[in-house]
Amino acid sequence: MPGRQRIKMDKSKRKTVIAGNWKMNMTPTEARKLACELAEALSCTDTAGSVEVVVCVPFVDIFAVSQVLSGTPIKVGAQNVHFEKCGAYTGEISAPMLAECGVTHVVVGHSERRQYFGETDETVNLRAKAALETGLTPIICVGELLSERDAGITEEVVARQTKLALAGFTAEQVKRTIIAYEPVWAIGTGRTATANQAEEVCAYIRQIITNLHDIETAEAVTIQYGGSMKASNAAELLAKPNVDGGLVGGASLSAAEFAEIVKAAL
Ligand code: PGA
């Protein structure tokens, strides 16, 4: 990206976060088993202080997974949240409900929700705000379609999604937010972005945050990469200076594979 001012980045100023996104997989019985296997696979791995590990599970699995993982450093996340605290919103789940169940993180604006469930930049903003107000960490997903990358508008798309998602946030709220850069063409396709492509867009997102607030805020924000991250490519992606973790779909359904990704982040 010629002409762009490169910001010198210090990774120690922010957390590396590896989050599994189980999507619509795992009944509570299956979820309990996978959580047990994951706790076991990571039992000898000291992640304290260096890597935060989260599993974002279906709502109905939260109780079982929280029980299994209590007393471990692995945190429990959800995959969506409504922006009102309570009310006549049949089928929805609010941030206070999640928090009381022990949830610490929530995925917001995943491309599957944007694509299939009418999620917009505006509702992403409302959901992330509701999460923050309840003390949850939103993992806000942004990323371009293949047609948008091919048309050369990746930056435009990611800039719009990021700015609208963070609209009205204070610098302190931005610092408590995780952004996941997930190129839609890499999700569930086995086609991973190259480490350089991931780095380029993650660095660009940090530049956007710098422009919105300041460099200190931008340096504090965890920016993950997501899209066919697996044990075999995690180390290369995570070695990049602006890639601070991963949002992992398919590979998070295997405890052994997910544990390898966590280890690649250490
Ligand atoms: P994937 O999914 O790792 O299966 O590509 C990533 C995601 O959708 O968060």
Side-chain angles (χ1 to χ4, degrees):
M1 296 189 183
R4 167 139 325 107
Q5 181 207 342
R6 283 266 164 210
I7 315 170
K8 267 215 153 133
M9 280 303 161
D10 179 356
K11 267 192 151 178
S12 67
K13 293 194 173 150
R14 49 192 177 263
K15 279 187 208 151
T16 296
V17 181
I18 303 293
N21 174 10
W22 290 5
K23 306 195 180 184
M24 196 178 74
N25 293 292
M26 303 286 145
T27 66
T29 305
E30 292 164 344
R32 192 180 291 277
K33 181 168 174 284
L34 179 57
C36 280
E37 288 168 0
L38 184 60
E40 174 65 28
L42 288 173
S43 61
C44 298
T45 308
D46 184 13
T47 54
S50 53
V51 178
E52 198 159 84
V53 183
V54 189
V55 284
C56 299
V57 307
F59 292 131
V60 293
D61 294 340
I62 290 170
F63 182 69
V65 171
S66 296
Q67 268 190 334
V68 172
L69 297 180
S70 79
T72 78
I74 307 169
K75 299 187 167 165
V76 182
Q79 299 173 13
N80 192 20
V81 62
H82 196 264
F83 33 85
E84 296 293 343
K85 286 190 167 59
C86 60
Y89 302 100
T90 303
E92 294 297 314
I93 303 284
S94 72
M97 291 173 182
L98 294 175
E100 194 174 316
C101 293
V103 164
T104 54
H105 293 66
V106 60
V107 178
V108 172
H110 190 279
S111 65
E112 286 150 15
R113 296 215 63 86
R114 293 180 192 255
Q115 196 178 344
Y116 306 130
F117 301 102
E119 189 80 72
T120 65
D121 290 322
E122 288 69 29
T123 54
V124 169
N125 174 256
L126 291 172
R127 290 181 208 282
K129 219 177 263 170
L132 285 165
E133 279 164 8
T134 310
L136 303 176
T137 301
I139 302 176
I140 299 175
C141 302
V142 299
E144 81 286 3
L145 305 169
L146 184 57
S147 57
E148 293 167 334
R149 176 162 281 264
D150 288 344
I153 57 168
T154 296
E155 289 194 359
E156 198 180 302
V157 170
V158 168
R160 187 202 75 229
Q161 291 175 335
T162 306
K163 283 183 200 164
L164 292 177
L166 301 179
F169 285 23
T170 64
E172 285 318 303
Q173 287 176 318
V174 173
K175 287 182 192 173
R176 287 169 42 217
T177 298
I178 296 175
I179 308 280
Y181 167 55
E182 297 208 307
V184 178
W185 47 272
I187 295 176
T189 58
R191 187 177 158 192
T192 317
T194 65
N196 285 339
Q197 285 173 324
E199 166 63 15
E200 197 169 39
V201 182
C202 289
Y204 179 63
I205 292 169
R206 209 177 302 284
Q207 181 67 58
I208 293 165
I209 299 171
T210 305
N211 297 346
L212 285 175
H213 290 275
D214 50 51
I215 191 155
E216 188 223 328
T217 305
E219 280 188 321
V221 177
T222 295
I223 303 179
Q224 300 174 316
Y225 166 77
S228 301
M229 185 182 268
K230 41 191 179 258
S232 59
N233 59 28
E236 196 190 348
L237 287 158
L238 296 169
K240 291 294 178 185
N242 284 287
V243 178
D244 310 316
L247 184 56
V248 184
S252 71
L253 298 175
S254 154
E257 176 99 11
F258 189 64
E260 284 308 308
I261 295 172
V262 171
K263 288 174 197 170
L266 292 172

